[in-house]
Amino acid sequence: MMRPVRVLPTFTVFWSAWLLFVLELLVGRIALPRFGGSAAVWTACLLFFQVMLVAGYGWAHVLATRVAPRRHALAQLCLGGAALASLLWQWGAWGAPLVPDSTSWNGTVGDVLLFLARTTALPFLVLSTTASLVSASVSASRGDATFRLYAVSNGGALLALLLYPVVIEPLTGLRAQAVGLTVGFVGYLVALALTLRGTSAAPAERRAGRMRASWFVLPALGTALLSSATNALCQELTPTPLLWAFPLALYLCSFIVGFGGPALRRPLLSATLTTLGLVAQVVITAVRPEVDVGLSLLGFGLTLFGGCWWLHAELHERRPEPARLSAFYLAVAAGGALGTAVVSLAAPVVFEDFYELPLSLVLLAGAMVIAWPRGEPKRWVATAGAVASLAALGLWLRGTEGQRESLRSGYGVVRVQEENEPGTPFHAFALRHGDTMHGFQLQAPDQRREPTAYFTRTSGLGVGLAALHARLGRPVTAQALGLGIGVAAALFEPGDQVEFIELSPDVITLASGPSARFSFVGDSRATVTVREGEARGALVADVAAGRVPVDVLVCDVFSGDSVPAHLLTTEALALYRQRLTPGGLLAIHVSNRYLALVEVASGVLAKVGLPFVVVAGRRGELAMLSTWVLASADEALLRDVVARAGDDARGPPRSTLVWTDDFQSVMPILVLGR
């Protein structure tokens, strides 16, 4: 009869997993604005966490096979003491652990990894060893029951994922979270010391057999599916802990049921869920980008949970005897790191689109067919899943109808789409990022300079610029954060000086230069330059260099679904005011399908004491529904804006929601189903 695991080891494993995943989400949240605010930052974080997990399990394996059992506790607690010392040093040097006082707001994947290593490596390493080390310590007396500690570990991680975006992040700032985590880490070290003192380690594994290939392959497929699904979802919604938690929670649930006991390992049910999810993926792929986000979440959720449930149940079936536990955990971690590395490092170089997602689905379905026992009457379920995955791959490779070009970088995939037939009145090229359109340009020679989408002459930006030109009576200088296809350049007058600041080199390639797909920048009557870089970092550099303030600052970085929240904080607004002349115009484009960003802009502007109006509407057949928040210390200018906007002008909404660099939560403004 299987004996239950004792309370103290169970609590220690659970608490370490809780802290580990709060740490993951917290440092990811800290890193996001510092390195451009894109989904690629979180993918780099996932890679770092997987590599550190391998290092942690490697440390536990060395202890189990190379260190005398009586010294395990001493070695682990020494490592834990070093980690605590690093957190306390950071607290003293930076004012809070994990939150360096840095003005660097951009960087490569390598920079992200160095940042994480500097702030997080030791605490993460210590926490990641707990499940393997404690399991090995109790395996001699508890037998196969120790495998349930793996489910307990994933349960602690799941609880952290559920509570962080809905409780911790909305109620506390980053610095308070970091301090709380450090206090929790002290409690963890006490629990670990008591746990290791009260257990006896299993015999060393010096003559253990070789690791099995399935211990690598199955978790590699799982993390590849997790990472590719997360990438695809972050193209459709904002890359925040709220969204990161969704696929990670499903992934951890699959571990819990896969390792939780015989009653929870249901290969037929998991295969059926996977097949249903794959069918949903076929539908999603066939009709993108018009697919509803609810259907997208359902399809991703069924596929990810069902597929990983099956993978982890198969992994449990291939588990070793408890004496080889540390080798098993090391192999699982290494396989998981391999799957994440393929998606985060290799796929962006090899593929021009998110092909790793349908390829992961094909490999998953193939593994199900291969592993299903021959002659099993329900094998047709796995076969149906394989057929559905191949259909999804074929549709994905076919691409979207009308697609003319696709470019991929660490900032995602951008596509040039042809709208309507050549020769028709509204024949146009459009730019899409995920399923969001970022503007279009008519192709008829006499219409190519006509501003469209969110930037028509009757839009908030159009009436704001008209009012400013009339008030100043001279050409204006302007900086625009975010380029898109450069439609805003069509609104400026001869003599105006405009500088666009754009993070993505692919967008710059498509919107400017000799091989540009769109000609708004080149055709503008103003003098237009394009500068590559992260918006906030560029403005910080301008202030430090003493550059002359501009008359207009356009912030057009929120219409997509990957929202850089650090550009809508009180600190960001203070920076914008430094770059503006005293009577200058700040134009913030807050159109967004899933986030009511007008509430944030209103709260932040009210907090910093800058008068503003809201212009929202859609006038003209070339316009798209847009919402602009126009702010200026010159209230006469705003009155002119209201007069020109007519019925599109709205009174400032009353909002108490204020984002700062320390506190940003999307929960209060999340609007799904628009």
Side-chain angles (χ1 to χ4, degrees), residues 110-265:
D111 294 326
V112 178
L113 297 178
L114 287 174
F115 170 85
L116 294 171
R118 177 190 178 195
T119 57
T120 316
L122 277 177
F124 193 97
L125 180 66
V126 173
L127 292 170
S128 67
T129 65
T130 307
S132 178
L133 187 64
V134 173
S135 297
S137 297
V138 303
S139 63
S141 58
R142 311 313 295 177
D144 194 53
T146 56
F147 279 98
R148 294 192 176 182
L149 285 175
Y150 207 46
V152 169
S153 174
N154 285 286
L158 177 62
L159 185 62
L161 283 173
L162 295 176
L163 292 184
Y164 186 88
V166 300
V167 177
I168 298 174
E169 188 186 33
L171 297 180
T172 57
L174 297 179
R175 293 180 179 273
Q177 293 173 34
V179 170
L181 188 140
T182 301
V183 174
F185 189 79
V186 174
Y188 155 77
L189 290 179
V190 173
L192 180 66
L194 295 174
T195 298
L196 295 180
R197 187 185 66 175
T199 57
S200 59
E205 302 178 31
R206 296 180 189 277
R207 290 180 291 179
R210 291 179 297 175
M211 296 179 181
R212 299 178 184 176
S214 60
W215 298 353
F216 292 96
V217 174
L218 294 174
L221 277 176
T223 56
L225 185 57
L226 169 66
S227 299
S228 56
T230 302
N231 273 346
L233 281 175
C234 283
Q235 281 260 116
E236 297 179 11
L237 290 172
T238 177
T240 67
L242 178 67
L243 186 62
W244 303 334
F246 173 70
L248 262 179
L250 293 177
Y251 178 80
L252 291 174
C253 282
S254 72
F255 254 123
I256 293 170
V257 296
F259 279 71
L264 296 176
R265 290 187 288 277

Side-chain angles (χ1 to χ4, degrees), residues 84-103:
L84 178 60
S86 72
L87 290 173
L88 294 176
W89 178 87
Q90 293 174 20
W91 195 345
W94 302 334
L98 309 173
V99 190
D101 183 14
S102 171
T103 56

